[in-house]
Amino acid sequence: MAEVQSGVTSKKIHPDAYGALIEALTTINWNKLAYQQDVRRRLREYPELLTRLDFTTTKRETSAQLVNMLMAEEKRYRDLTIELMTDISRLDSFPNLVKQVDADDLLAQARAAVTNLEKWVGRHAAIAEEREKFAAELAAHRENINRTRDFTEVLSELRQEFFRLHGMTNRQQAGREFETFQHRLFTLFDLEPTLAYNLKGEQINGSIYHDTNHYVVEAKWLASAVEAEHMTNFDGKVKRKGKNALGLFVSVNGFSEGGRDIFKRSTSFITMDGADLFCVLDGRIRLDALIARKLEHASRTGDCFFPAAAMHL
């Protein structure tokens, strides 16, 4: 099968177009949470970019950080850059801005930024046109691949990847790659993952959707079991999202007995350990079914811990 070549053209994107993208990204949302959610949604297929973004800074600084990464590897991310520019330039409503006290001024700024970006999209129409042609070819190519690479094969690949990560001596690197692994696993089961990696403590924060429920996700691959302190902190984080919020705490090396005891009768989250993951990767239970059974158990008993081994698979 002939390969579809990546990249649409050798023509470079004008530096001012990148500047227009920074301005638009910064102004189309006012609240930082809305901004962060928007950026994460747009980059959900590019976890290697999300892991390097610092959302603790201002919106403009984060936008500049993202655009600088796109510029530094323009050949690799040209398609993504044009997609961002095109999608944002077509915006005609700004839900987060209309809620603000000074909505009129904010909307005027956003529209001006989007209009300016639209001009640059027009100047790069040839790139956009070739990108759309490439996207169509890529979709056809992927469809052909999907006929031969079925669900079971992808799951088998993820199982081998999990073994490889388990055997790595560089645990910090393993933690970084675990983010990509988990994103692929959640995606395989259509859980719409939004994940972000935090180098400190090898912690992954993000979210998934399952059966109309939204789960806050936290994952750790520590040398030992997660202790009660971490579980208590996560419980607080989930509860701050609202009374109906749910949490999924993934710890490859399990949870301490003391921590499990605290959340044995009342919990805002369910847990998943390495043994659970292996049951999924080994095809003994689907990930979505595992989550559903854990949630049902937690709702019925208040217990956060219900391992796959106890489900009599």
Side-chain angles (χ1 to χ4, degrees):
M1 181 182 298
E3 290 189 8
V4 175
Q5 298 298 319
S6 62
V8 295
T9 180
S10 59
K11 184 178 180 180
K12 293 182 68 64
I13 298 174
H14 195 284
D16 288 348
Y18 283 112
L21 179 57
I22 292 175
E23 189 66 26
L25 280 168
T26 304
T27 56
I28 59 177
N29 288 289
W30 176 249
N31 298 118
K32 289 190 70 174
L33 178 58
Y35 166 81
Q36 184 177 157
Q37 290 173 337
D38 186 35
V39 172
R40 291 189 184 282
R41 177 180 60 81
R42 296 181 184 280
L43 299 181
R44 65 191 309 163
E45 299 302 325
Y46 298 88
E48 75 279 8
L49 292 176
L50 279 174
T51 62
R52 294 153 63 189
L53 282 180
D54 182 5
F55 287 104
T56 65
T57 61
T58 65
K59 292 181 296 178
R60 188 170 297 276
E61 287 173 310
T62 305
S63 297
Q65 185 183 19
L66 169 59
V67 171
N68 285 335
M69 288 191 288
L70 298 177
M71 291 179 68
E73 298 185 75
E74 181 172 310
K75 183 176 181 181
R76 178 181 180 183
Y77 293 117
R78 185 182 292 112
D79 296 344
L80 171 61
T81 303
I82 293 297
E83 180 180 358
L84 290 173
M85 292 173 60
T86 303
D87 289 349
I88 294 174
S89 72
R90 292 173 177 170
L91 290 177
D92 57 8
S93 64
F94 307 90
N96 183 246
L97 301 185
V98 298
K99 301 176 183 178
Q100 310 307 319
V101 175
D102 50 351
D104 290 343
D105 290 339
L106 296 176
L107 286 168
Q109 294 174 29
R111 287 171 181 145
V114 168
T115 299
N116 184 42
L117 184 62
E118 186 177 13
K119 294 177 182 177
W120 284 108
V121 171
R123 296 184 189 185
H124 292 83
I127 299 179
E129 183 179 349
E130 286 199 37
R131 176 195 166 275
E132 291 186 5
K133 179 181 178 182
F134 168 72
E137 293 175 351
L138 183 59
H141 178 65
R142 285 174 174 167
E143 185 178 351
N144 289 332
I145 290 177
N146 288 338
R147 294 193 185 105
T148 57
R149 293 183 74 250
D150 62 11
F151 180 93
T152 304
E153 183 177 349
V154 176
L155 191 65
S156 178
E157 290 176 1
L158 287 168
R159 180 174 60 180
Q160 295 306 313
E161 178 69 4
F162 184 73
F163 287 148
R164 187 185 69 82
L165 293 175
H166 192 276
M168 288 180 64
T169 56
N170 186 335
R171 298 314 303 162
Q172 187 179 56
Q173 180 65 25
R176 285 194 291 267
E177 295 186 25
F178 183 51
E179 176 211 10
T180 302
F181 163 85
Q182 193 164 243
H183 186 276
R184 290 179 61 198
L185 181 62
F186 287 148
T187 300
L188 180 63
F189 287 91
D190 295 328
L191 299 179
E192 303 180 31
T194 301
L195 301 174
Y197 186 73
N198 181 351
L199 288 177
K200 296 180 179 179
E202 296 189 0
Q203 175 176 309
I204 301 171
N205 296 314
S207 64
I208 59 172
Y209 288 88
H210 174 253
D211 194 24
T212 73
N213 291 317
H214 173 263
Y215 290 81
V216 179
V217 176
E218 180 156 318
K220 292 183 180 292
W221 196 331
L222 305 178
S224 58
V226 162
E227 295 294 338
E229 178 184 2
H230 296 297
M231 299 172 74
T232 301
N233 290 341
F234 182 58
D235 179 61
K237 183 186 300 183
V238 174
K239 288 179 176 176
R240 285 192 292 273
K241 297 291 184 181
K243 64 179 182 179
N244 295 321
L246 298 169
L248 170 61
F249 201 145
V250 181
S251 170
V252 177
N253 283 324
F255 302 85
S256 70
E257 184 176 350
R260 297 202 307 268
D261 283 344
I262 294 175
F263 299 99
K264 197 167 187 176
R265 294 177 178 83
S266 177
T267 184
S268 66
F269 60 92
I270 58 176
T271 58
M272 189 177 298
D273 59 20
D276 291 328
L277 285 174
F278 185 74
C279 283
V280 171
L281 296 171
D282 204 37
R284 282 179 266 170
I285 187 171
R286 289 177 56 92
L287 180 58
D288 46 4
L290 179 65
I291 291 174
R293 293 182 68 171
K294 285 177 175 287
L295 178 61
E296 188 277 332
H297 176 81
S299 300
R300 180 168 47 83
T301 67
D303 192 354
C304 74
F305 187 69
F306 185 39
M311 297 178 186
H312 307 294
L313 304 178

